[in-house]
Every structure is written in structure tokens, then in C-alpha cells.
Amino acid sequence: MKFLLYAFVGVHLFSLNSGKAIYRNDMSQRTFQEIKEEIAHYGDVAKAIINLAVYGKAQNRSYERLALLVDTVGPRLSGSKSLEKAIQIMYQNLKHDGLENVHLEPVRIPHWERGEERAVMLEPRMHTMAILGLGSSIGTPPEGITAEVLVVTSFDELQRRAREARGKIVVYNQPYTNYSQTVQYRVQGAVEAAKVGALATLIRSVASFSIYSPHTGVQKYQDGVPKIPTACVTVEDAEMISRMVSRGSRIVIQLKMGAKNYPDVDSFNTVAEIVGSKYPEQVVLVSGHLDSWDVGQGAMDDGGGAFISWEALSLIKDLGLRPKRTLRLVLWTAEEQGGIGAFQYYQLHKANTSKYSLVMESDSGTFLPSGLQFTGSEKARAIMKEVMNLLQPINITQVFSDGEGTDINFWIQAGVPGASLLDDLYKYFSFHHSRGDTITIMDPKQMNVAAAVWAVVSYVIADMEEMLPRS
């Protein structure tokens, strides 16, 4: 997952009685008080959804469904057989659940395999290091790369010490501030080091906490810049190497990586719906991504988000509800490689941008949510605040800024309002892209609450007489 922020300013609003876009000077718009009253009428429906998800027969269902998948299939790397097996399982699950228009939309996605990998400090003492190669990295020669290290804490320091970097393994020991700022070292570290003649890079894991756990993720090469092998190391090893160098020690590391890139392969975005009763051509999109990295089980990132999105439709269906607009569930493929499946979905459906009222993605964990992150016009934000007030029974009512997600940002950039769950990001980035991302860290009761939030928001927005006003 990646965190990108967007802001939009515009001049159009939406009709409150037809679901169609109109200009600001249209006199048929209802007052905001009337909109508030309409939303307040959903109080009983919201309570029914909450009761079913948190206290009723559906409690723990999303957790149990997720546990079955990840225990059966395991991690689901782009291009892997396990990802395609998971997609086929989910296709059958959604059909058996009684959802409508269940289908697979074909896309092409990257295929990379890490192979065997090993990093050993040879000087000044022997020390085997825990590493994880970064997505799309090339491998080393069979004999590996053995070289002295240069430790830097920033790209600026790398530039200042460019002459020292040639022929060395650059170790980045950048401090963790937040994910969106710190992840640039993982994504761009190899390219910047290659520009100054480095042989390979080892990058301190982008993590809020570590118990000697390397955290993988995507990295990107640049045309015209030599490709060099790149992997992440633990916070502990990055800090130790930095301390040793500061004391004057000469560090030599041998790095061996069997990583390989293969031609793109066929895959699918998985889609299911509850078709709208009055405006079926208009859509509220609810989503998470089904792929993961190849370590752990991908239970948190993003099994939880995918499964509370499925659960949202299940809850609405179980209560016999059918909103005016179509609720569309999309389980994305190849999100971890940069929203590959979602971009192809956008290309296929972008002609209908005006018909999307809200795009939602859960990809920051399904622990106990603090509230909803939202990007959209001020009028749309005011509406979302009223909708979130319906969740007072579980005390999750706040609306924050910056609703986003790798897979929905294409739509947000086009002006569609977007929403995501705000979760415990410290906990999330403690396990993110690591072997610790397993079902063990998931809490069924917290998933129940997250699913209730997701279902109430998606249903009410889909059922209101108006689409959300655009900026």
C-alpha cells in the first residue's frame, strides 16, 4: 500500500432529487437541513447493521472467512499460483453468498520471484543478517556481491558522499518518521545509489516497530540507470552497522539474491454487486486488495480490508436491503506492485466516472477504527459527517481528511469522492509486509466493528436520493 494525498477544487454540485450532476445555480436543490433529516431516517437501518455485525449471527464471520482463506492458500504474491487460487476461491465464495453479477475482469500483472537470499557480514565479525529482497529487484551473480558498506541516513548524505559510494554496498539507515515520507528510501534507494556507482543497496525496513523483522515492499528502477540488487534489512541490523561504522569499523558484507523477473501473466479483479433498485447505473464502490507479499499470510495487508468489504455486502444482503444505487465490491489484484489491477479497471470503466458516487478502499488495517478518512468537496464532507453520526452506538463517528488508497486514487484524481478507514497505523506498520502479517494479529471483534462501519457508510451513501456532491 502507498499513501498519496490529493485535494480538489471545483464548481459542480449534484441534484438532490435526480442523482444527476447539475450546476450550482440550479434552484431545485434541497437545503442541508433536509439532507440531515434524510440521513437521520437511516438510524434504525444503521442499528440493524451494527447489531447483526457486532452482536448477531454475523459476528466474527469476516474473521472466520479470512482465516479459512489465508490458512488454505497462504501469501498471494502477484504472478503466483497461490494468488490465482485465491481469486478462484473468492469467485466461488461470492457466488455462493448470493451476490449478483459475480465475475472476473481480466488484467495483466507482474511476475517476480525472490528465490533464495542471504546476507552475511564478513568483517569485522561474522554475522548472518535477516533480509527480504524488494519487489522487482534483480538478483546478484551466483557468487554474490562482496563489498565494503557505506552507511547513509538520507539521499542528501548520499550525494555529499557520492565519491565514497562507488563499488560499495550502500546501507540506508534512514529514521522512521511516517510511512509516506520514509518509504521513498525503499522505493528509490536502489536508483539513487546506482547513480553514484554503488553495487547494491540494503535498506532499513520501513517499520514503526521491529523485533528483528525485515519488511519487504515494492521498489522501482529508472530507465537509463543501472539496475542493482536491493533488499531490506532489520531496523536492528541497520542501526548496529551504523554504530559500528561511527566507531571506525570497516564493514564488509556478502549479499546473495536469487531474485528473477518474468514476463507479465494473466490475472483478474474479482467483482460482485448488489444491483441498485432505482439508479442501478450509479455506483458506490467498496474494495480491498486480494494480493499480498510472499511472506506471512497477507491477513492484515490486505486480507482484512478485502474481507470486511465482502462482509459489508453480505450484511446488507442478509438484512434484505437493496439500495437505490449499485453497491459494487472489487477485490483488486497486484495492488502491491503499484495498483496494477486497479489501474486497468480504471481504464476500462473511466468513461463512467460521473456515475461513481463514492469509492472506498480499506488498506490500512482492520483493527478498531478511529473513524473515516474522506476526500471530497466540503458539502460532501458535511454529508459524510452526518452519515458517520449514525455510528454513535459503536462510538466511531469522526471524519478525517485524506481518504485514499492505491487502488482508488485513480478515481479520486478524477474528482470522485473517496473514503478509507483510519486505523492504528503504529500497529499496522509494525507488521506491514513482514512475516508477522498472519491471522494471529487479527482480532475478530475489531473486524466486526470495522465491517459495521464499512457497511453503514456504503449502504447509506448508495441509498440516499442524491449522489455525493463533487468538487
Side-chain angles (χ1 to χ4, degrees), residues 239-279:
E239 291 187 342
M240 180 187 71
I241 292 169
S242 182
R243 290 192 304 270
M244 294 172 73
V245 168
S246 71
R247 299 185 193 117
S249 295
R250 177 177 181 267
I251 310 291
V252 175
I253 289 176
Q254 182 186 67
L255 175 66
K256 291 185 177 181
M257 294 174 57
K260 291 184 179 180
N261 288 282
Y262 297 91
D264 289 355
V265 299
D266 293 326
S267 187
F268 303 92
N269 292 316
T270 308
V271 183
E273 294 179 337
I274 296 175
V275 177
S277 61
K278 187 173 183 180
Y279 307 119

Side-chain angles (χ1 to χ4, degrees), residues 49 284-288 304-313 315-316 327 329-330 358-363 366 369 371-373 384 387-388 391 394 396 404 408 418-422 447-461:
I49 292 172
V284 168
L285 186 147
V286 185
S287 69
F307 275 69
I308 68 159
S309 295
W310 173 18
E311 182 67 13
L313 269 68
L315 292 166
I316 292 163
L327 269 175
L329 167 68
V330 182
L358 178 67
V359 289
M360 303 167 62
E361 180 173 22
S362 173
D363 190 18
T366 49
L372 195 76
Q373 292 176 281
M384 295 303 293
V387 173
M388 289 299 290
L391 290 154
I394 50 176
I396 299 172
E404 64 84 47
I408 61 172
S420 53
L421 284 179
L422 180 62
M447 286 189 70
N448 295 340
V449 173
V453 172
W454 222 222
V456 169
V457 171
S458 61
Y459 175 77
V460 174
I461 296 301

